[in-house]
Amino acid sequence: MIISLVGATASGKTETSLWLAQLLGGAEKVEIISADAMQLYRGMDIGTAKLPPEERQGIVHHQIDVLDISQEASVAAYQRQTRQTIENIWERGKTPLIVGGSGLYMSAVLDELDFPGTDPALRDELTRQAETDKGSLLEELRDKDPEAYRVIHPNNMRRIIRALEVIRLTGKPFTPRFPRHTSHYPFTIALGIKREPVNLQELIVQRAQHMMDSGLLDETRALIERGLRTAPTASTATGYAQAISVIDGEMTEQEAVQSIALATIQLAKKQKTWFKADPRITWFDATHEPLEHIATNMYSHIRERMHAMDKTERMHKINRTE
């Protein structure tokens, strides 16, 4: 069995996952896997709201602090590594609990997603073209894969380049290679945390201010020394671009906090749209409930689902012997 816990940023996933893990047996029975693209990076702690090791209650956490900021995050690599991690957790007799808000990373593990290979020469060619003629790439994507053109933001050149790389390599559209809601694992219990928009926005604003007060600028300065400004993926993380602007004298701290909050609210809207489309998720509203209570309700739901799974399996065995 696999349990997934999703929701928009700042909705309370991390705290709820710890409560839920304890209800499921704690460190002896559960290991947590992060599905947050930016928490993969070492040193990006405050800006990604990463849970410190001393607050993980002894529960093993995977896919955190596995990349240097100079490395480019790869969904395909995440898929391979996480699926192997799941197998290892099962071999230890434990339950994997996947927690995060990066929809594509979550789908990469739980759905039947196919990731085509890459061609470095073609990728370089497309990258050079993007630097001088971004419009022609957008037109090519619109002509060859209208659906990908519709859903990919025109400023997300990294994904546009990847889509065109796949299209040119395979001769097929990019979109159909990412079918969703096609479960890779037969026994997955999908849980989600939601909040009313005003409540979530308040929490996002509070988090943005807390990040600044907790040392985001100092953390960013340390990351700049390690190459953050030219990092292929890490430099795009919400919070760090604004912190760099403060360090460069282009923003005040308060302007940066407002910018971080606005960008995070926009991200949360995208996350909610992504997860809302998944009919497998059972949602729990945390707007007016303590997260400990939410975890208790989730635990009750898991037990009900496990009982139903056991009953179905028993029926299958009876049918096979008749």
Side-chain angles (χ1 to χ4, degrees):
M1 179 182 69
I2 297 176
I3 302 170
S4 65
L5 175 55
V6 304
T9 184
S11 58
K13 297 184 298 297
T14 299
E15 182 179 341
T16 303
S17 71
L18 293 175
W19 285 113
L20 181 59
Q22 292 299 340
L23 291 169
L24 291 166
E28 295 183 359
K29 296 294 184 180
V30 178
E31 294 186 22
I32 292 175
I33 303 172
S34 170
D36 185 313
M38 293 305 168
Q39 290 195 3
L40 293 168
Y41 289 102
R42 290 184 289 272
M44 296 177 64
D45 303 331
I46 297 171
T48 64
K50 191 181 295 176
L51 187 67
E54 63 272 16
E55 296 180 17
R56 295 175 191 173
Q57 301 180 6
I59 298 168
V60 176
H61 282 62
H62 300 273
Q63 293 295 5
I64 294 177
D65 295 336
V66 297
L67 295 178
D68 186 80
I69 60 170
S70 63
Q71 296 175 277
E72 184 172 2
S74 163
V75 183
Y78 176 85
Q79 180 190 65
R80 291 192 303 271
Q81 294 161 4
T82 301
R83 287 183 176 176
Q84 183 58 58
T85 297
I86 288 170
E87 296 291 336
N88 296 341
I89 292 172
W90 281 338
E91 289 176 2
R92 290 190 285 272
K94 298 183 182 182
T95 298
L97 171 57
I98 309 179
V99 182
S102 296
L104 183 56
Y105 279 68
M106 188 70 76
S107 289
V109 176
L110 300 180
D111 294 336
E112 293 290 2
L113 268 64
D114 172 31
F115 292 93
T118 62
D119 183 328
L122 176 56
R123 177 76 65 88
D124 289 344
E125 176 187 336
L126 289 166
T127 300
R128 288 193 299 271
Q129 186 175 345
E131 292 172 353
T132 58
D133 191 6
K134 172 184 171 181
S136 65
L137 293 184
L138 290 170
E139 290 177 6
E140 181 179 351
L141 184 63
R142 181 190 61 198
D143 294 341
K144 294 182 177 179
D145 191 343
E147 178 61 16
Y149 176 80
R150 185 182 69 82
V151 300
I152 299 175
H153 194 282
N155 290 334
N156 191 346
M157 288 309 301
R158 189 166 65 89
R159 195 169 181 212
I160 290 169
I161 288 170
R162 176 56 180 157
L164 289 172
E165 180 186 18
V166 170
I167 291 168
R168 291 190 187 183
L169 282 174
T170 66
K172 299 177 181 179
F174 178 68
T175 305
R177 293 184 173 273
F178 292 86
R180 295 179 57 201
H181 316 153
T182 52
S183 299
H184 180 74
Y185 299 101
F187 298 116
T188 302
I189 298 177
L191 311 169
I193 293 181
K194 64 180 180 179
R195 291 180 180 272
E196 293 176 0
V198 172
N199 177 235
L200 183 61
Q201 289 180 17
E202 289 174 350
L203 291 173
I204 288 172
V205 171
Q206 291 171 14
R207 173 183 281 189
Q209 185 63 60
H210 178 71
M211 287 178 177
M212 189 63 70
D213 295 341
S214 299
L216 178 61
L217 295 181
D218 287 339
E219 179 173 277
T220 303
R221 289 187 183 97
L223 290 167
I224 288 173
E225 292 180 1
R226 291 167 46 194
L228 178 63
R229 291 181 188 273
T230 58
T233 307
S235 60
T236 66
T238 299
Y240 293 98
Q242 290 88 346
I244 289 173
S245 293
V246 174
I247 292 168
D248 291 345
E250 298 170 355
M251 275 187 184
T252 65
E253 289 190 20
Q254 196 52 46
E255 287 171 341
V257 168
Q258 294 171 354
S259 178
I260 292 169
L262 179 59
T264 306
I265 289 169
Q266 293 171 341
L267 171 62
K269 289 179 180 178
K270 293 179 181 178
Q271 291 172 318
K272 288 192 288 185
T273 299
W274 178 285
F275 292 122
K276 186 178 179 181
D278 191 337
R280 300 166 297 182
I281 299 173
T282 300
W283 291 97
F284 296 81
D285 194 331
T287 303
H288 304 293
E289 287 282 340
L291 293 176
E292 183 180 2
H293 292 179
I294 296 297
T296 300
N297 294 338
M298 288 180 173
Y299 178 64
S300 297
H301 174 75
I302 290 169
R303 294 190 64 181
E304 291 173 4
R305 287 289 308 277
M306 290 177 65
H307 177 73
M309 289 176 184
D310 290 342
K311 184 176 180 180
T312 300
E313 181 61 24
R314 288 196 299 270
M315 292 301 296
H316 285 165
K317 289 181 179 178
I318 292 171
N319 292 336
R320 286 196 296 267
T321 58
E322 289 181 347

